[in-house]
Amino acid sequence: MKILFISLGVVLLAFVAVQLYAMNEQKSIETYPYVVNKKYDTFEIRSYEASLFTSVKLSTKEFKEASSKGFSILAGYIFGGNEKNEKISMTSPVAMSLEDSMTVMFLVPKKFNKKTLPKPIESQIEFRDEPAKTVAAITFGGWANDTKIEKYKEKLKAALDAEGIKYSNRFYFLGYNPPFEVFNRKNEVIVELQSETRDLVKK
């Protein structure tokens, strides 16, 4: 029995150490820059800077499959799977387009551009310029799945309709935490707003 308690204590300490490490690492990770233009009860309006992403397009619309496969391919690239064997810092969040063929994207750290990024070994990986954009964003916690993402996508659409805010069909999922992080998990669904409403919601 004593050995069992000692073993459980070691496991608990290891778990706490991993969680503390994960939370500390999140503070130093470069993030997709934006400013908040306006807050509503359940969502907010943001303006994002033009940014460069590494991306991979997958022929699936299932979150679990796309996130697992897409993350694996892109992580392989930034961990040295490129022609220079160069490691590139992890960024946050991981973005996924919510389409029939999902695109998974990692933000490229600001110190790189298309000319200085090492060429991927994996032919599926592309460099993608995302222009400056105004979006509506809704946040939820826990682990994401298809049901949750669809729930908050519909909740965001209903809230925007109630406010008379026009939006496009370009929805994205943003995930901020590694799979092993248990506490303070953060996920978002965002949608690009139509051009005629962007100036209105900034007022």
Side-chain angles (χ1 to χ4, degrees):
M1 185 63 72
K2 183 177 180 181
I3 294 175
L4 175 61
F5 281 119
I6 292 173
S7 298
L8 289 174
V10 170
V11 171
L12 179 60
L13 285 173
F15 171 77
V16 172
V18 168
Q19 298 309 308
L20 291 174
Y21 172 80
M23 287 188 285
N24 187 60
E25 282 293 294
Q26 285 293 318
K27 296 176 183 178
S28 60
I29 289 178
E30 187 174 329
T31 58
Y32 191 10
Y34 68 86
V35 295
V36 177
N37 298 319
K38 191 171 183 179
K39 285 181 175 287
Y40 293 81
D41 288 340
T42 58
F43 69 97
E44 64 186 24
I45 305 299
R46 302 172 179 170
S47 289
Y48 278 92
E49 294 181 9
S51 298
L52 178 64
F53 287 79
T54 54
S55 69
V56 59
K57 189 171 185 177
L58 304 168
S59 57
T60 180
K61 59 180 180 180
E62 293 185 2
F63 170 77
K64 186 176 181 179
E65 181 182 354
S67 59
S68 177
K69 187 174 181 180
F71 185 92
S72 178
I73 292 171
L74 295 177
Y77 169 70
I78 69 170
F79 293 152
N82 53 69
E83 290 189 347
K84 295 182 179 179
N85 296 317
E86 182 177 356
K87 291 186 177 181
I88 301 168
S89 298
M90 187 66 192
T91 56
S92 181
V94 175
M96 296 175 59
S97 63
L98 299 179
E99 304 167 310
D100 287 342
S101 295
M102 287 181 162
T103 299
V104 182
M105 301 182 290
F106 281 7
L107 176 71
V108 173
K110 278 190 175 294
K111 70 175 186 177
F112 291 100
N113 56 47
K114 283 185 177 179
K115 292 182 179 179
T116 59
L117 275 171
K119 186 177 179 180
I121 293 173
E122 171 58 65
S123 60
Q124 287 180 273
I125 295 175
E126 297 181 346
F127 300 143
R128 174 168 168 161
D129 285 304
E130 283 291 312
K133 62 184 69 176
T134 301
V135 310
I138 189 168
T139 303
F140 62 97
W143 277 270
N145 55 42
D146 289 312
T147 301
K148 270 191 175 181
I149 291 171
E150 185 62 26
K151 172 186 174 181
Y152 282 93
K153 178 181 176 180
E154 292 303 316
K155 188 173 181 179
L156 178 58
K157 288 167 65 176
L160 291 170
D161 289 340
E163 295 289 344
I165 299 173
K166 301 295 183 182
Y167 50 92
S168 70
N169 64 348
R170 293 183 293 276
F171 286 84
Y172 300 85
F173 166 79
L174 305 181
Y176 289 83
N177 309 87
F180 55 82
E181 190 170 352
V182 175
F183 304 110
N184 300 315
R185 295 192 65 82
K186 179 183 176 182
N187 313 283
E188 293 178 330
V189 173
I190 68 171
V191 61
E192 294 182 35
L193 301 185
Q194 291 185 5
S195 57
E196 62 267 27
T197 63
R198 292 172 189 167
D199 293 333
L200 178 65
V201 297
K202 288 181 181 180
K203 295 179 181 178

